């Protein structure tokens, strides 16, 4: 492991992170491209920001502070911001060795996350808790000794993270949560958010012409009256 | 409410159900038609039965006994069987008024259900616990006074069941569980089962040529080498 550099926060230089600090990777420009068929780029940027806001809000209500790992310039009142232009794994693996306390790594597209669901993660007795994403990804990791851990996102990252934990001899608790397993990537994911969301992301959808409707006995999503999922 | 008839079990006439008894609706003939593109009818019947077995196993491990509400003749060692040829709602609503104890209503296509996930449902302090299905359905209901409750499955039944509870003045706990929210209906649902399943349904898939593979950085399901989801 290389010498751990000081995190270069946007707002301040911080040498020691607080207990239960969250890392939230975030892409401010042209995010959520799989929603491009139903939202303009500007809308996707706004929607991604609103989802992020819901995640930060849930994180802060558990008592955690948060740092965004942003791919480009970004201002946020509720979290620290570190600009990291490299890939997702490189950015997180740059931050982890600098932790001297447990770390929560949570994706920014989990707007159904509630403080209660996060508490299930943070209260684990294991060395690590993980919430798989639907389809084999990893949505949330909580690791008590992040300085020895590293992440490998993309693809079947859930299996990979379990393997990494095993290689490190860590005990792992798998958290069974629909709210945190459902990341919002595709139009069809909007159904769950519109049904189960409590925060601003759900409101944003309704304010922008999205609605739930019934078709052939199934719940579908429409935008301005047209079915999109 | 009409006079409550005695349940006509396949194996025995039972007048009073046991504490924490589960109702599991089950269709033995031509089930899971949305899997028809990847399984023959015979395979779907076998697979549905194996999934049912996993659900019954989880239910029994929590201490519950179970009754299957079957649409046609069926034999089961691990559960009582009542043959009910009417629709799903009619069959359950025929059974509920006969309960004098809390009732668990659980679908047979939830093979990722574990005893631990069910315990979260059964230990609720509310009058009722519900696990929504992905897409607006209802996968599990636990209701402490089933004799006054009725179900309305199909479509946006999750919202309907919350409305029914509200009309009855019941307190409701919503259980946040990926394992129980993910019902196996379509080929794409097999991904989750193959990743997270522990029971025989997962084994059955592997034994019948289904496998996980990576394509464009995403986890997909193949059968005999061909991508199906």
């Amino acid at each position: 492991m290389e010498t751990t550099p000081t995190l270069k926060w946007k707002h301040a230089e911080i040498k020691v992170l607080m207990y239960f600090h969250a890392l939230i990777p975030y892409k401010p420009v042209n995010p959520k491209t799989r929603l491009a068929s139903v939202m303009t780029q500007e809308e996707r940027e706004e929607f991604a920001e609103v989802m992020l806001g819901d995640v930060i809000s849930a994180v802060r209500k558990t008592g955690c502070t948060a740092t965004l790992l942003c791919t480009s310039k970004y201002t946020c009142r509720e979290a620290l911001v570190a600009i990291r232009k490299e890939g997702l794994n490189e950015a997180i693996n740059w931050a982890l060795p600098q932790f001297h306390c447990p770390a929560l790594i949570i994706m920014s597209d989990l707007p159904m996350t509630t403080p209660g669901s996060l508490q299930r993660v943070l209260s684990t007795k294991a060395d690590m808790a993980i919430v798989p994403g639907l389809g084999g990804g990893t949505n949330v990791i909580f690791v008590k000794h992040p300085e020895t851990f590293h992440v490998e996102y993309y693809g079947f990252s859930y299996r990979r993270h379990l393997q990494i934990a095993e290689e490190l001899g860590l005990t792992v608790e798998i958290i069974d949560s629909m709210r945190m397993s459902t990341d919002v990537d595709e139009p069809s994911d909007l159904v769950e958010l519109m049904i189960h969301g409590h925060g601003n992301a759900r409101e944003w959808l309704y304010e922008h012409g999205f609605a739930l409707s019934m078709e052939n006995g199934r719940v579908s999503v429409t935008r301005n009256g047209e079915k999109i999922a």
Side-chain angles (χ1 to χ4, degrees), chain A:
Chain A
M1 197 183 301
E2 50 184 348
T3 320
T4 60
T6 308
L7 283 172
K8 290 192 184 95
W9 310 116
K10 192 176 163 58
H11 298 301
E13 294 268 330
I14 290 172
K15 282 175 199 289
V16 180
L17 296 168
M18 290 177 65
Y19 194 67
F20 285 5
H21 190 81
L23 286 176
I24 312 176
Y26 182 60
K27 184 185 174 191
V29 177
N30 197 24
K32 296 283 127 201
T33 50
R34 280 149 72 190
L35 292 174
S37 61
V38 299
M39 293 181 195
T40 65
Q41 179 175 336
E42 197 185 349
E43 286 174 333
R44 281 185 281 117
E45 289 173 359
E46 205 177 296
F47 180 57
E49 188 170 33
V50 176
M51 290 201 290
L52 170 69
D54 285 348
V55 172
I56 294 175
S57 170
V59 164
R60 283 166 56 97
K61 281 181 185 152
T62 64
C64 285
T65 50
T67 292
L68 311 184
L69 294 172
C70 293
T71 49
S72 54
K73 199 164 174 246
Y74 187 69
T75 309
C76 182
R77 281 168 165 265
E78 280 75 36
L80 299 166
V81 176
I83 313 291
R84 299 302 302 183
K85 293 185 186 295
E86 68 268 61
L88 173 65
N89 290 319
E90 292 75 12
I92 296 173
N93 291 333
W94 162 83
L96 288 180
Q98 306 182 55
F99 274 75
H100 301 282
C101 64
L104 177 72
I105 307 163
I106 179 167
M107 297 297 119
S108 64
D109 57 357
L110 305 173
M112 290 193 282
T113 302
T114 57
S117 57
L118 270 181
Q119 282 294 358
R120 292 174 55 204
V121 175
L122 299 173
S123 62
T124 186
K125 291 193 169 59
D127 300 322
M128 173 178 149
I130 187 168
V131 185
L134 294 177
T138 307
N139 286 0
V140 184
I141 291 175
F142 177 60
V143 59
K144 292 190 181 166
H145 294 284
E147 65 278 11
T148 59
F149 196 77
H150 74 280
V151 297
E152 290 188 27
Y153 281 94
Y154 299 119
F156 202 168
S157 68
Y158 171 62
R159 183 164 65 181
R160 192 68 199 108
H161 288 135
L162 292 182
Q163 284 168 343
I164 293 169
E166 195 177 353
E167 284 158 17
L168 292 170
L170 304 181
T171 56
V172 179
E173 183 179 2
I174 298 159
I175 305 291
D176 173 29
S177 164
M178 182 273 286
R179 293 192 160 274
M180 296 186 290
S181 286
T182 311
D183 37 330
V184 176
D185 281 323
E186 314 218 15
S188 61
D189 300 324
L190 300 177
V191 179
E192 304 312 323
L193 175 55
M194 296 182 78
I195 295 175
H196 300 290
H198 292 296
N200 292 326
R202 178 176 174 276
E203 286 308 304
W204 187 95
L205 290 172
Y206 279 100
E207 283 164 14
H208 288 74
F210 292 84
L212 291 173
S213 77
M214 288 293 299
E215 188 168 348
N216 301 324
R218 294 201 207 163
V219 181
S220 61
V221 176
T222 60
R223 183 168 196 189
N224 303 322
E226 271 185 52
K227 186 182 173 190
I228 60 159

